Amino acid sequence: MSLTLLQAWTGARDRLKAAQIDSPVIDSRLLVEAATGASRLEIATDPYRVVSDEQRAVLDGYLDRRERREPVARIIGRKGFWKIMLNVGPGVLIPRADTETILDVVLPAFDEQSRFQMLDLGVGSGAILLAILAERPHATGLGTDISEDAIAVARDNAARLGLEARASFLYGDWTQGMADASFDVVVSNPPYIAREVIEGLEPEVRLHEPMVALNGGEDGLDHYRTLAPEILRVLRPGGLFAVEIGYDQAEAVTALFEAAGAGDVRVVKDLGTRDRVVAGTKKPLGN
Ligand SMILES: C[S@@+](CC[C@H](N)C(=O)[O-])C[C@H]1O[C@@H](n2cnc3c(N)ncnc32)[C@H](O)[C@@H]1O
């Protein structure tokens, strides 16, 4: 029996609902789009288009995987972030909307004509670095990561977005080997989940995100202890930094950056009004 786009969508939605997936309507639409090649608009305007047997089999496979709690972005291999679309391979964190808070800090500090050099520590898919370079055509940037998979994915994303001439990537441990005072802005979304919290997280995160992207050590703060002095070392005097934090880490991370000598340290909330970013500056010379 033939299946229409509308039937494919409602059937997929019902399967995900029965499996108690949190967002069955959106997830089923995204999976139908990916399996059939139909856009969201086409599903609405051409609902009786017939889905081929091959597309149906692909959709079934996707639904099996989603029922096993694999995230949609992992299944379809891509995720939107800010105004760009990123490929996400298995070894890379799926970028989160909360991380866009870093762009709310960095973009207002540099107008479209600004020439500046940025560093993204733990670049993952390239989300923060590439979204900023896409918005600021005279900026250049370096992304580092301890995961070779992440570096490969970020490099591929830079090329697909036409940003490869302004983005470079380095495999390594945070700022190792970098010269002092090299960057105008440094951003990072380091792993910040306390080790023992990880096993209680939902399966989409616990089973399908790379551990190296999550684990912040015993209290979740291990990487900030390394990064606070190192970020201030590689920043130019007067330069800006912005790091993502867990909702309950503002006080501890602020203290780490202040102890490292940062100026104007402030906490920025995400759209859900939770503490999400600690930002500040390296004091200008003479201060
Ligand atoms: C939470 S993910 C953030 C990825 C990406 N920046 C984003 O916001 O979507 C943290 C990233 O830090 C990387 N990482 C973990 N430890 C690192 C280290 N010692 N040096 C460099 N990168 C590291 C992980 O591989 C991962 O890509």
Side-chain angles (χ1 to χ4, degrees), residues 10-250:
T10 53
R13 182 201 59 200
D14 292 347
R15 258 183 81 172
L16 296 185
K17 246 188 211 167
Q20 300 185 318
I21 299 296
D22 265 355
S23 45
V25 177
I26 295 171
D27 286 10
S28 54
R29 178 175 57 71
L30 291 169
L31 294 176
V32 169
E33 282 176 22
T36 64
S39 67
R40 175 185 190 164
L41 187 67
E42 285 168 331
I43 296 174
T45 56
D46 192 12
Y48 302 112
R49 182 194 296 180
V50 172
V51 172
S52 72
D53 289 347
E54 200 180 321
Q55 292 168 340
R56 192 174 182 163
V58 172
L59 178 60
D60 271 340
Y62 287 172
L63 291 167
D64 289 346
R65 288 167 67 182
R66 187 69 192 102
E67 283 172 342
R68 292 196 296 270
R69 307 291 297 266
E70 194 170 339
V72 169
R74 195 69 74 207
I75 297 169
I76 65 178
R78 60 179 184 272
K79 175 81 189 195
F81 180 81
W82 194 256
K83 297 179 195 165
I84 59 177
M85 184 59 74
L86 295 156
N87 282 346
V88 285
V92 79
L93 184 96
I94 298 167
R96 307 295 206 265
D98 287 343
T99 303
E100 294 176 354
T101 312
I102 290 190
L103 277 84
D104 292 331
V105 173
V106 173
L107 291 177
F110 299 93
D111 68 25
E112 271 203 53
Q113 302 313 316
S114 298
R115 291 176 190 280
F116 62 93
Q117 172 89 23
M118 72 173 281
L119 170 66
D120 182 351
L121 294 165
V123 71
S125 62
I128 309 170
L129 175 70
L130 299 176
I132 292 176
L133 293 185
E135 293 277 341
R136 294 293 178 264
H138 302 292
T140 52
L142 171 67
T144 72
D145 211 289
I146 197 92
S147 154
E148 287 179 359
D149 287 345
I151 293 289
V153 169
R155 195 171 270 139
D156 175 63
N157 280 323
R160 279 188 324 95
L161 293 163
L163 296 168
E164 70 274 27
R166 293 189 288 122
S168 44
F169 299 95
L170 189 66
Y171 166 79
D173 188 1
W174 299 132
T175 49
Q176 207 171 43
M178 289 180 202
D180 292 356
S182 315
F183 298 94
D184 303 294
V185 54
V186 179
V187 297
S188 186
N189 172 18
Y192 56 68
I193 303 176
R195 199 181 297 127
E196 67 178 23
V197 171
I198 294 175
E199 63 189 39
L201 296 176
E202 64 270 33
E204 279 83 349
V205 178
R206 180 168 39 87
L207 303 178
H208 297 285
E209 293 289 14
M211 198 50 61
V212 68
L214 305 177
N215 190 351
E218 201 178 329
D219 62 357
L221 299 170
D222 273 7
H223 294 293
Y224 301 104
R225 292 190 183 94
T226 306
L227 287 172
E230 277 300 297
I231 285 176
L232 289 169
R233 180 179 73 76
V234 299
L235 259 184
R236 293 201 175 117
L240 172 71
F241 71 85
V243 298
E244 181 165 328
I245 56 165
Y247 70 93
D248 55 354
Q249 295 174 330

